[in-house]
Amino acid sequence: MPDAFFTSSKSRKRKRTTDAGPSSLKKAPRKGVQQNGVRKQAKKKRDEELDSDETDGDGANIDDMDLRAPSDEEDAVEADDDPDETPAEKRLRLAQLYLDSVKEGLSLADGEFDAAEIDRELISARLKQDVLEHSGKVHLFVADSFDLSEPPTTILRTKTAKSPVTCAVVTESGKYLFTSAKDGSITKWDLTSAKKLAVFHAQNKIKGKGKAPAIDIHGHTDQVLALALSGDGRYLASGGKDRRLIIWDVEANQFVKGFSGPLCHKDSISALAFRKGTNQLYSGSLDRTVKVYDMSPNVMGYVETLFGHQDNIVDLDALRNETCVSVGARDKTVRYWKIVDETQLVFRGGGKSRIREVLEGGLADDADNEEKSGVVHKFVEGSLECVTMIDESNFLSGGDSGSISLWTTQKKKPVFTQALCHGFHTVQSETEGTIKTPRWITALSSLRYSDVFASGSWDGEIRLWKLDPKLKSFSLMGTIPASGVVNSLQFVSPPKEFFQKATWAQSESADQTKEGRVLLAAGLGREHRLGRWLNVGEGWNRALVVALSPRS
């Protein structure tokens, strides 16, 4: 009898037996029934019922998930279909294939662990995680488990580079770290030992009329501005000012394919993001378009272009669904792209944030004196610089007014806005005296499907924030020292085997066998990744990786 966990709540017709009873001799054969008793139309109807078992947007269950084991040959799966197999039996068979793939993914050999232990702990936890992530909602409330009363000490710093680091990304396994720089190079690091493994150097530009075709150039010829890693850690995508999108083989350290010309952007590529768990790649550019690529090994091609932004696209992000969000700098909009529906939701920023500053001699405790001596400053958001997705329907944006806004797809206005998240930037003027302007938000990243996110600027620290359980507001958790302009941020949850191998990530106060530890990677530079209008003299051109461990 099939397990009740995998059976649907819908009523199913029982499979009719092929034995013909006395009453069946009196009935004429119906349309669609062959002489051998196999009903083609009934089988087609059962297959349609399996395909149409979808839920609404409130959540997802096991019926919505693709339980088939990953295989390159779809015909092999179809060949196993039995015409007389009921939907319940088919669902049970596919679930068994899925469990086998989970067991193989966990590298568990037969007899290595007790079967009951595998069912209770490993497979059960994996199934719960897949269902929760498939629902697309926040389900990891882990902010309170981190103690940030003091700055963390488990920090890895790469060697200082000559050129500012524009981006830093870590593989999901925690094995490798990749950094890109303004000199056009990409560096590969072993994250457990902090050793440099390989460097993809910039290629020389071909000048003159007889330029070499772009297909013959296996690398970048100008600044690299964005990096992205596929979910399986197989491919690395890079883009920059040379308007080329390049795919690299992570393990072999080799050039795989390059896109340029009509199949790529007409201006600098400023943002890249892989759809979680797939090889679908989104790229954003200063040419105001978002392009979609399929980086499957047997495809490796361009799919479509998304139009809508009225200014440069400077950042984008994506999760598991076929959606992504992007920000358009001075068009002051966040656009939520629905790829399948070919539609977009437009969220307009540019709000004002009022800050009350008490002048010297004013008493902060005295409300009357504060009203008399206070000056109201209005900072208008003129540009949206970065964006990150919390879950499938909530996201965050940061702008040049120093504000971070929390958005939901159900409302056109921000749910919550925190002003002056990284303080003021002070400049001395001979005529105007001291001029204070807010530091804009240069980078944002969230721990996927959780209540933790990080923001960066050039005030010398990365700030960690905690979301309200109802996703109505957020508050400051703690800070991490980081000298320079924070050009990129990324959260990764590697397996516990990584923390056992990486000695730098081990803390005396943390339990080495406990789950829930994460890595925060940051790319730092003396200059902003998109320009040279800002120079932080005390900054560093390097990558920073911080290991955050929950309380023991």
Side-chain angles (χ1 to χ4, degrees):
M1 180 178 178
D3 194 331
F5 178 78
F6 301 102
T7 58
S8 175
S9 60
K10 296 183 177 180
S11 60
R12 305 286 187 183
K13 292 184 179 180
R14 293 185 177 180
K15 181 179 65 173
R16 296 189 179 184
T17 59
T18 56
D19 297 336
S23 59
S24 62
L25 299 176
K26 299 178 182 181
K27 298 180 180 179
R30 291 181 294 176
K31 185 178 180 180
V33 181
Q34 296 181 352
Q35 297 298 328
N36 58 1
V38 179
R39 296 188 301 157
K40 288 188 175 181
Q41 292 184 355
K43 176 181 178 297
K44 183 178 180 182
K45 183 178 180 180
R46 288 197 299 267
D47 293 341
E48 290 178 354
E49 289 178 352
L50 285 173
D51 295 336
S52 63
D53 280 345
E54 298 180 358
T55 59
D56 52 13
D58 294 336
N61 55 20
I62 195 70
D63 294 342
D64 297 330
M65 299 174 60
D66 187 4
L67 299 177
R68 291 177 293 181
S71 176
D72 295 336
E73 300 180 0
E74 295 293 339
D75 296 338
V77 178
E78 296 295 335
D80 295 337
D81 289 346
D82 187 1
D84 295 333
E85 187 179 34
T86 63
E89 292 172 346
K90 183 175 182 179
R91 196 178 299 277
L92 181 61
R93 176 174 59 83
L94 295 178
Q96 187 60 47
L97 293 175
Y98 173 73
L99 292 177
D100 293 340
S101 67
V102 171
K103 183 177 178 181
E104 182 180 356
L106 294 171
S107 302
L108 298 176
D110 292 335
E112 185 177 350
F113 291 98
D114 183 65
E117 182 180 355
I118 294 176
D119 290 339
R120 292 194 202 97
E121 298 180 4
L122 300 175
I123 296 181
S124 177
R126 173 67 180 273
L127 287 173
K128 290 179 181 179
Q129 179 182 356
D130 288 350
V131 172
L132 288 172
E133 288 189 0
H134 193 75
S135 67
K137 296 181 179 180
V138 171
H139 58 271
L140 297 174
F141 295 96
V142 297
D144 292 333
S145 64
F146 297 107
D147 185 9
L148 295 174
S149 57
E150 296 182 359
T153 57
T154 52
I155 299 177
L156 172 66
R157 299 175 177 87
T158 62
K159 293 182 180 179
T160 304
K162 295 181 180 179
S163 182
V165 175
T166 58
C167 189
V169 292
V170 178
T171 57
E172 293 290 337
S173 62
K175 188 175 182 181
Y176 301 121
L177 165 70
F178 289 90
T179 59
S180 61
K182 281 192 174 183
D183 60 2
S185 65
I186 301 174
T187 307
K188 178 181 178 182
W189 306 81
D190 184 349
L191 200 55
T192 56
S193 61
K195 294 182 179 179
K196 184 186 296 185
L197 299 179
V199 179
F200 308 146
H201 294 283
Q203 304 295 312
N204 295 328
K205 294 182 180 180
I206 307 299
K207 297 182 179 180
K209 294 183 178 179
K211 292 183 179 180
I215 194 173
D216 296 335
I217 303 176
H218 293 178
H220 288 283
T221 60
D222 208 333
Q223 300 177 9
V224 181
L225 302 178
L227 297 176
L229 282 162
S230 59
D232 56 2
R234 183 175 180 180
Y235 296 119
L236 170 71
S238 62
K241 295 189 72 173
D242 58 357
R243 299 174 292 177
R244 301 192 67 213
L245 174 63
I246 297 180
I247 307 301
W248 308 87
D249 190 312
V250 170
E251 292 292 342
N253 303 330
Q254 292 180 351
F255 173 91
V256 176
K257 189 171 183 178
F259 294 88
S260 60
L263 299 181
C264 200
H265 293 279
K266 298 179 181 179
D267 206 336
S268 302
I269 299 175
S270 56
L272 293 170
F274 271 98
R275 179 184 165 202
K276 184 177 175 62
T278 69
N279 286 320
Q280 189 171 3
L281 176 67
Y282 305 107
S283 65
S285 170
L286 303 187
D287 65 0
R288 302 176 294 179
T289 64
V290 175
K291 290 188 182 293
V292 185
Y293 296 88
D294 186 356
M295 295 303 172
S296 301
N298 56 345
V299 179
M300 282 284 177
Y302 160 82
V303 178
E304 62 177 324
T305 302
L306 309 177
F307 298 91
H309 277 291
Q310 303 301 311
D311 197 24
N312 302 335
I313 297 175
V314 292
D315 197 13
L316 62 82
D317 197 14
L319 286 180
R320 185 177 294 274
N321 289 348
E322 283 196 73
T323 57
C324 69
V325 292
S326 60
V327 288
R330 295 202 172 274
D331 71 357
K332 296 180 284 188
T333 64
V334 184
R335 295 182 185 256
Y336 184 92
W337 305 91
K338 298 181 179 181
I339 310 300
V340 177
D341 299 337
E342 297 183 351
T343 59
Q344 56 182 287
L345 301 177
V346 182
F347 303 88
R348 302 193 180 277
K352 298 180 180 178
S353 59
R354 297 186 177 184
I355 307 300
R356 180 170 299 278
E357 180 186 12
V358 180
L359 300 179
E360 294 182 2
L363 299 177
D365 297 334
D366 191 346
D368 295 335
N369 291 339
E370 184 175 345
E371 284 293 331
K372 296 178 182 179
S373 61
V375 177
V376 176
H377 296 273
K378 295 181 180 179
F379 299 102
V380 180
E381 193 171 47
S383 174
L384 293 179
E385 299 292 327
C386 47
V387 67
T388 184
M389 296 188 73
I390 302 170
D391 57 21
E392 302 295 351
S393 59
N394 296 276
F395 53 92
L396 296 154
S397 68
D400 61 354
S401 65
S403 301
I404 299 178
S405 298
L406 173 63
W407 304 80
T408 178
T409 55
Q410 307 302 319
K411 294 183 179 180
K412 288 296 183 180
K413 293 183 179 181
V415 177
F416 179 78
T417 299
Q418 178 65 48
L420 278 183
C421 293
H422 285 266
F424 285 103
H425 177 62
T426 305
V427 178
Q428 296 292 336
S429 173
E430 295 181 357
T431 58
E432 301 294 334
T434 302
I435 300 176
K436 290 185 178 181
T437 56
R439 295 187 181 94
W440 69 76
I441 310 301
T442 58
L444 280 175
S445 180
S446 67
L447 181 59
R448 304 308 192 188
Y449 304 105
S450 78
D451 59 343
V452 176
F453 72 93
S455 65
S457 187
W458 67 90
D459 58 339
E461 56 187 19
I462 299 171
R463 302 200 175 191
L464 297 178
W465 306 83
K466 170 191 173 183
L467 285 165
D468 179 72
K470 295 183 179 180
L471 299 181
K472 298 297 182 182
S473 64
F474 53 86
S475 58
L476 184 65
M477 287 175 52
T479 61
I480 300 172
S483 299
V485 182
V486 181
N487 286 320
S488 72
L489 289 171
Q490 181 201 19
F491 275 103
V492 177
S493 300
K496 61 181 180 181
E497 289 78 12
F498 164 79
F499 292 96
Q500 296 174 355
K501 295 179 181 179
T503 56
W504 65 268
Q506 297 177 1
S507 175
E508 298 179 356
S509 60
D511 186 0
Q512 301 302 323
T513 61
K514 191 174 182 179
E515 299 289 344
R517 287 178 292 176
V518 297
L519 297 179
L520 175 60
L524 307 177
R526 292 191 179 95
E527 299 174 353
H528 192 275
R529 67 186 184 100
L530 297 178
R532 303 188 63 182
W533 53 81
L534 182 68
N535 193 314
V536 182
E538 63 275 10
W540 297 90
N541 298 326
R542 62 187 180 190
L544 193 75
V545 183
V546 184
L548 301 175
S549 301
R551 297 184 181 93
S552 58

